[in-house]
Amino acid sequence: MIVDNDTTIVNNDGVDRKNWSEPSSLSDRAFDYIRKSIFDGRFGPGDKINELDISNKLAISRGPVREAIRRMSSSGLLVFEPNSGARVVALSADKVEQLYDVREALEARAAALAAVRMTDAERTALSRTLEAHSQQMTEDNSNSYPRGGSDWDFHLMILKGARNDVIWRICGDELKDMFYLLRSQHGSSPGRGRKALEEHRWVAEAIVAGNADLASLLMAQHIRASRDNLLAAMRASALDAKSSISR
Amino acid sequence: MIVDNDTTIVNNDGVDRKNWSEPSSLSDRAFDYIRKSIFDGRFGPGDKINELDISNKLAISRGPVREAIRRMSSSGLLVFEPNSGARVVALSADKVEQLYDVREALEARAAALAAVRMTDAERTALSRTLEAHSQQMTEDNSNSYPRGGSDWDFHLMILKGARNDVIWRICGDELKDMFYLLRSQHGSSPGRGRKALEEHRWVAEAIVAGNADLASLLMAQHIRASRDNLLAAMRASALDAKSSISR
DNA sequence: AAATTTCAGATTGTCAACAATAATTGAAAT
DNA sequence: ATTTCAATTATTGTTGACAATCTGAAATTT
């Protein structure tokens, strides 16, 4: 899958860019570009990341691109093989289960910490966010969670409230990207949105009440439910693929 | 702190990696060199990592060194600042607590998984390892855990038995390095070794018996105890430093 | 026809030089 | 002695060229 959609990043218009949000180094720019390309679907799972293509595209040399690739490989979005290159990670059902296991353990802990550490302002903001999600769903007359990462908004607020940089780096940065990639490939089953919102509410209630153990438990349950849903969707799409054309 | 001790590269992994996996690329060699230098104490916490020095030392160019530095920054051992360079991470008590929180959540989960997934051979190996540790301590007539990462041997066996690559990467690779660095700075309190061994035994028993919930609980307790011990040691050495000479 | 070898093109790995930025020095002024 | 500020040095950021390795297709052998 290599779609050459040439929208973003115009650096050849001869104008010195200043207002364009500033990835300070070229390596950062390459990092952002690759990341965005993956989420846009221009690079699909298993696709090879060609250093030369990217450096040409961005009109920079291969050095910064290589650094970006090495970094992204460490974070898991790319899989690096010596003398061969990097590919976009292709997540098997097994690997997805492993990722969910980590999320469950870590976000449950984060929920417990958030229940203790969140400020009052953060707690009310959490409740309000869920209210907004609810309203959005009613307005859209939809049973799926509002588009644009609203689901993650909730999780990120809790992650942030936990005041743990390590958990944040793992869940809020790396795993978030992985799951974002996953969601772009497999939708969620109809009705899951309503259910998820309900679970979110329970978790939020426990956190607002300062009940750490309950928050932890409910978050674990919520993520387990989310996992079951996504794995079902994965298996379904796997069957689809198989029924269309055998290879 | 820069001591120039030129030891050769030795595989220092506790467990069964490839016996002489030589660093295929120069970048890997640089990575290993920096890592080893940190553990040897040649680079101390907060020390600047100079690209030129390292590339000279290894007689390679700066490109591979830069890649290694970027990678190591992603994994947490180095802290990278644009246009300034990378430094060895200096772990505050707060950060250490955060690291332990992650370890507790993840290794507790790993213990639960290991209790279900370990083969019989692995279970007996686990017990036997603890026997060896016990015997070693009696022989040495010491109350501290045998040197050379024996403590981690136990944890790594469980991590491996959990059959979760993501947990392994986080705990068995990244966090292990962080804690190894910590241990080299602050010892453990006298008597902790015996206690730790006892806790290890309880965890192992639960795992061998296939009792996932109990294994999880005991592992969490064990890590919590380990955290308390290390934090106490950190505070003690912090007081030492303060009482000696103000700088 | 199937398997193997050869070889050219493509891609990654490495290097040394140059550019841009940060850190340091030291003289002048206060 | 201290501060300011410009000049100098040290270090990081980037580049284009070259070397090593992989890939795939044509040519050769079986």
Side-chain angles (χ1 to χ4, degrees):
Chain A
M1 179 202 301
I2 291 181
V3 187
D4 217 42
N5 190 356
D6 209 312
T7 48
T8 49
I9 306 193
V10 273
N11 60 352
N12 54 357
D13 52 4
V15 185
D16 205 35
R17 95 259 301 286
K18 237 178 184 179
N19 49 359
W20 180 251
S21 70
E22 58 292 22
S24 48
S25 69
L26 298 190
S27 172
D28 286 342
R29 217 187 299 174
F31 191 95
D32 289 349
Y33 173 76
I34 298 172
R35 208 182 96 126
K36 205 161 293 191
S37 297
I38 291 175
F39 291 155
D40 285 355
R42 280 179 291 199
F43 295 149
D47 278 0
K48 198 131 175 297
I49 302 296
N50 188 313
E51 296 174 2
L52 203 55
D53 286 352
I54 292 170
S55 58
N56 284 338
K57 196 85 175 174
L58 299 179
I60 63 180
S61 75
R62 278 175 50 223
V65 175
R66 280 180 66 84
E67 285 177 14
I69 288 175
R70 292 309 276 254
R71 262 192 296 156
M72 204 172 300
S73 300
S74 297
S75 84
L77 257 191
L78 299 182
V79 176
F80 184 86
E81 189 162 9
N83 287 322
S84 169
R87 297 175 173 281
V88 178
V89 66
L91 294 165
S92 63
D94 188 50
K95 190 70 174 287
V96 170
E97 252 177 308
Q98 297 181 8
L99 289 168
Y100 264 111
D101 253 340
V102 171
R103 252 191 90 183
E104 186 184 321
L106 251 29
E107 289 206 40
R109 172 59 53 106
L113 291 174
V116 174
R117 297 180 177 173
M118 265 189 168
T119 66
D120 286 347
E122 285 175 313
R123 289 169 211 266
T124 58
L126 187 66
S127 301
R128 254 184 248 288
T129 300
L130 288 185
E131 271 316 305
H133 291 173
S134 171
Q135 194 161 347
Q136 191 70 34
M137 284 176 67
T138 339
E139 276 180 17
D140 300 354
N141 197 20
S142 160
N143 276 331
S144 58
Y145 226 86
R147 287 297 148 202
S150 297
D151 178 31
W152 272 98
D153 282 349
F154 171 76
H155 290 273
L156 291 178
M157 289 177 84
I158 293 172
L159 252 9
K160 196 141 208 170
R163 308 270 193 282
N164 184 312
D165 298 335
V166 185
I167 293 182
W168 176 263
R169 185 172 65 76
I170 297 174
C171 286
D173 272 358
E174 297 180 6
L175 293 191
K176 186 193 65 175
D177 280 358
M178 300 277 235
F179 281 96
Y180 197 85
L181 173 61
L182 265 179
R183 269 300 151 101
S184 70
Q185 296 167 40
H186 318 277
S188 55
S189 68
R192 173 63 194 150
R194 284 267 167 232
K195 205 93 197 298
L197 179 62
E198 194 180 36
E199 292 163 9
H200 283 184
R201 274 198 176 120
W202 290 339
V203 173
E205 253 181 75
I207 288 180
V208 170
N211 191 334
D213 290 339
L214 183 59
S216 172
L217 185 75
L218 290 173
M219 179 62 95
Q221 284 184 354
H222 166 56
I223 291 181
R224 213 140 45 215
S226 174
R227 179 190 67 182
D228 291 343
N229 177 71
L230 182 55
L231 283 175
M234 280 189 72
R235 286 190 246 281
S237 69
L239 284 189
D240 270 2
K242 193 177 287 182
S243 72
S244 61
I245 294 180
S246 69
R247 44 160 173 165
Chain B
M1 180 199 303
I2 292 181
V3 187
D4 221 33
N5 185 1
D6 207 306
T7 52
T8 43
I9 297 170
V10 180
N11 202 346
N12 61 350
D13 274 354
V15 263
D16 65 1
R17 291 215 160 223
K18 296 164 197 165
N19 45 5
W20 179 251
S21 66
E22 49 186 283
S24 46
S25 69
L26 297 190
S27 172
D28 286 341
R29 216 185 301 173
F31 190 95
D32 289 350
Y33 173 76
I34 298 172
R35 207 183 96 127
K36 193 153 228 328
S37 297
I38 292 174
F39 292 155
D40 284 354
R42 282 179 292 198
F43 296 149
D47 278 359
K48 199 127 177 297
I49 301 297
N50 188 312
E51 297 175 1
L52 203 55
D53 286 351
I54 292 170
S55 58
N56 285 338
K57 192 83 183 171
L58 300 180
I60 63 179
S61 76
R62 279 175 50 223
V65 175
R66 279 181 67 84
E67 284 177 15
I69 288 176
R70 292 309 276 256
R71 260 192 297 156
M72 204 172 299
S73 300
S74 298
S75 84
L77 258 190
L78 300 183
V79 176
F80 184 86
E81 188 163 9
N83 286 323
S84 169
R87 296 175 174 280
V88 179
V89 66
L91 294 165
S92 64
D94 187 51
K95 190 70 175 285
V96 170
E97 252 178 309
Q98 296 180 9
L99 289 169
Y100 264 110
D101 251 340
V102 171
R103 251 192 91 184
E104 186 184 322
L106 250 29
E107 289 206 40
R109 172 59 54 104
L113 291 174
V116 175
R117 297 180 177 173
M118 266 190 168
T119 65
D120 287 347
E122 285 175 314
R123 288 168 211 266
T124 59
L126 187 66
S127 301
R128 253 183 249 288
T129 298
L130 287 185
E131 271 317 304
H133 290 173
S134 171
Q135 195 162 346
Q136 190 70 33
M137 284 176 67
T138 339
E139 278 180 16
D140 300 354
N141 197 20
S142 160
N143 276 331
S144 58
Y145 226 87
R147 287 294 148 204
S150 296
D151 178 32
W152 271 99
D153 281 351
F154 171 76
H155 290 273
L156 291 177
M157 288 178 84
I158 293 171
L159 252 9
K160 197 142 207 168
R163 309 269 193 283
N164 183 315
D165 299 334
V166 184
I167 292 182
W168 176 263
R169 183 171 67 76
I170 297 174
C171 286
D173 273 357
E174 297 182 4
L175 293 191
K176 186 194 64 173
D177 281 357
M178 301 276 234
F179 282 97
Y180 197 85
L181 173 61
L182 265 179
R183 269 299 150 102
S184 70
Q185 297 169 40
H186 320 276
S188 53
S189 70
R192 172 64 193 149
R194 283 265 168 234
K195 205 96 198 301
L197 179 62
E198 194 180 37
E199 291 163 9
H200 283 184
R201 274 198 177 119
W202 291 338
V203 173
E205 253 180 74
I207 289 179
V208 170
N211 192 334
D213 289 339
L214 183 59
S216 171
L217 185 74
L218 290 173
M219 178 63 95
Q221 284 185 354
H222 166 57
I223 290 181
R224 213 142 43 214
S226 173
R227 180 191 67 182
D228 292 343
N229 176 70
L230 183 55
L231 283 175
M234 280 188 71
R235 285 189 245 281
S237 69
L239 284 188
D240 269 2
K242 194 177 287 181
S243 71
S244 62
I245 291 179
S246 68
R247 41 157 178 160

